[in-house]
Amino acid sequence: MAEVSLEVEAPIDAVWAVLADGWSYAGWVVGASHIRDVDAGWPKQGVRIHHSVGPWPFTIEDVTEVVRCEPNRLLELDARLWPAGAARITFTLTARSESLTEVHMAERVVRGPSTLMPNVVQDALLTPRNRETLQRLNALAKGRASG
């Protein structure tokens, strides 16, 4: 399981606001290139973001579905990317102060051909991507907090 953490320079409400805005997904998730639709009720359990992944014109259209949601604390997603498979991604938020939030991101491949890769290879591929994802989340949350 690829796990990364970052102390985000924003209050927990600002970080959650980014996670709870399905339309912002392509702005902070590395690889997501376009949001086609967000089901009403995001981020409630069972609700989906319909996204495209990859550079145009070679995009793949798929969905990410909420598995579990505890506002201001936890968001667990089932992120699909056919034909590679799907990953379970969990974001856990912990307030460190009024203006600092620790975000922990854990990702593991759960379905598809990517499960055949050894865990060490999966981690080597996912960890740098997930670090950048948290840096982008940090930037958006800081912007929401200051605006």
Side-chain angles (χ1 to χ4, degrees):
M1 178 178 298
E3 296 186 63
V4 296
S5 293
L6 181 68
E7 288 193 342
V8 172
E9 301 169 27
I12 201 164
D13 290 345
V15 177
W16 182 257
V18 176
L19 294 176
D21 177 1
W23 291 102
S24 77
Y25 192 80
W28 57 274
V29 175
V30 174
S33 58
H34 176 69
I35 303 304
R36 299 185 325 276
D37 195 19
V38 178
D39 292 351
W42 178 269
K44 291 180 183 173
Q45 183 176 351
V47 175
R48 296 175 172 186
I49 291 174
H50 305 262
H51 54 77
S52 301
V53 177
W56 183 88
F58 305 107
T59 58
I60 297 170
E61 295 185 354
D62 222 323
V63 297
T64 291
E65 181 175 332
V66 177
V67 175
R68 188 168 57 148
C69 175
E70 298 173 24
N72 285 348
R73 186 178 139 6
L74 181 135
L75 182 63
E76 186 173 351
L77 305 172
D78 183 65
R80 299 172 194 157
L81 180 61
W82 183 92
R88 184 65 48 94
I89 304 167
T90 305
F91 296 92
T92 307
L93 308 181
T94 306
R96 294 295 178 211
S97 71
E98 287 185 19
S99 60
L100 192 66
T101 304
E102 181 180 1
V103 180
H104 180 82
M105 179 181 180
E107 181 173 3
R108 64 186 163 88
V109 178
V110 293
R111 292 188 305 282
S114 297
T115 59
L116 300 174
M117 286 190 296
N119 288 340
V120 68
V121 174
Q122 289 181 35
D123 290 353
L125 294 172
L126 295 174
T127 298
R129 172 188 169 272
N130 292 349
R131 280 193 187 113
E132 176 61 21
T133 289
L134 290 187
Q135 289 293 340
R136 293 177 185 190
L137 177 65
N138 180 40
L140 289 175
K142 282 171 58 175
R144 283 183 189 251
S146 66

